[in-house]
Amino acid sequence: EDQVTQSPEALRLQEGESSSLNCSYTVSGLRGLFWYRQDPGKGPEFLFTLYSAGEEKEKERLKATLTKKESFLHITAPKPEDSATYLCAVQKRDNDMRFGAGTRLTVKP
Amino acid sequence: SQTIHQWPATLVQPVGSPLSLECTVEGTSNPNLYWYRQAAGRGLQLLFYSVGIGQISSEVPQNLSASRPQDRQFILSSKKLLLSDSGFYLCAWRGDSKDSPLHFGNGTRLTVT
């Protein structure tokens, strides 16, 4: 069965303390892996798309990487404004995007 | 640029009452449109999607229905709400490229009492 699992469920960091979020998937025929940021009470905001193993994307303090089984979202020297829930999603076929439950990140000043 | 509007932001409805949530997209034509539901601690669940006017695909059989009366308008409805319909409903659009990302509205928090 196709699954998308994110870990940890919640992560608390001190400002400046780098870490990584994990998204593991068991999907055959992956067409793309997407990362989103979601603030409380808001819709998810698109961050990155990764298409093939070995691919990397960067945006400010965030860097996303992809292997054949998982993706990592690396956060370097996070700031309190990086606090949010980070969602990953995998696309298997047209209009079939499966989301993980998310990692809730809190960055303390 | 493209924008997506979703309303209302919050809604409290009694069990058995009807529901209508509306979503409109600006700045693009013939978008693919989606309704998702998000439950606390769980991933987004796809409810319906539409690739064109009057074309609706249902992913989960349930108490809800969707309609697309205009190119950039997507409506989620129910004739009689259940307690289990409570949740955070999100509308999203995607462009023509089948691997392009979803772009979400800000959601509707529905509480059925």
Side-chain angles (χ1 to χ4, degrees):
Chain A
E1 182 182 342
D2 298 334
Q3 285 196 356
V4 181
T5 304
Q6 291 188 247
S7 62
E9 290 185 13
L11 181 62
R12 296 171 66 91
L13 300 173
Q14 287 296 127
E15 184 172 1
E17 180 186 1
S18 301
S19 188
S20 296
L21 314 182
N22 176 265
C23 173
S24 63
Y25 61 92
T26 54
V27 172
S28 58
L30 178 73
R31 291 180 53 171
L33 185 141
F34 301 81
W35 280 99
Y36 289 84
R37 171 194 168 121
Q38 186 174 23
D39 292 309
K42 301 291 186 182
E45 175 187 349
F46 169 68
L47 293 173
F48 305 109
T49 308
L50 302 166
Y51 293 105
S52 57
E55 190 174 358
E56 299 182 351
K57 294 274 181 72
E58 286 190 66
K59 180 180 180 180
E60 296 181 355
R61 296 176 291 282
L62 300 177
K63 178 179 176 181
T65 62
L66 181 65
T67 72
K68 289 186 177 180
K69 296 183 178 180
E70 57 192 350
S71 177
F72 292 94
L73 184 65
H74 308 276
I75 303 177
T76 302
K79 299 181 178 182
E81 53 262 40
D82 294 322
S83 298
T85 295
Y86 291 85
L87 303 171
C88 78
V90 298
Q91 182 167 1
K92 180 177 177 180
R93 57 180 174 83
D94 294 355
N95 299 306
D96 185 359
M97 187 174 284
R98 307 288 178 96
F99 281 82
T103 293
R104 188 173 66 254
L105 174 66
T106 303
V107 182
K108 293 290 191 180
Chain B
S1 64
Q2 301 91 354
T3 56
I4 180 169
H5 303 280
Q6 193 180 339
W7 68 92
T10 60
L11 191 60
V12 180
Q13 293 283 95
V15 168
S17 65
L19 173 73
S20 181
L21 303 181
E22 190 165 340
C23 170
T24 59
V25 180
E26 296 178 357
T28 186
S29 59
N30 197 32
N32 291 342
L33 297 173
Y34 304 80
W35 280 111
Y36 281 86
R37 179 167 58 199
Q38 186 176 32
R42 301 183 65 180
L44 276 69
Q45 178 188 34
L46 178 62
L47 302 176
F48 301 94
Y49 68 89
S50 171
V51 299
I53 296 174
Q55 301 178 60
I56 307 295
S57 296
S58 174
E59 291 294 304
V60 181
Q62 58 202 331
N63 187 42
L64 303 170
S65 62
S67 61
R68 185 170 177 175
Q70 300 181 40
D71 181 44
R72 289 168 287 184
Q73 184 184 29
F74 206 22
I75 297 172
L76 183 68
S77 304
S78 174
K79 293 182 179 179
K80 290 185 177 181
L81 284 169
L82 306 172
L83 285 174
S84 58
D85 291 324
S86 294
F88 191 49
Y89 289 83
L90 289 157
C91 180
W93 73 273
R94 158 189 271 175
D96 288 340
S97 171
K98 291 184 170 57
D99 297 332
S100 60
L102 293 168
H103 300 279
F104 289 88
N106 276 328
T108 294
R109 174 72 59 190
L110 172 66
T111 303
V112 182
T113 60

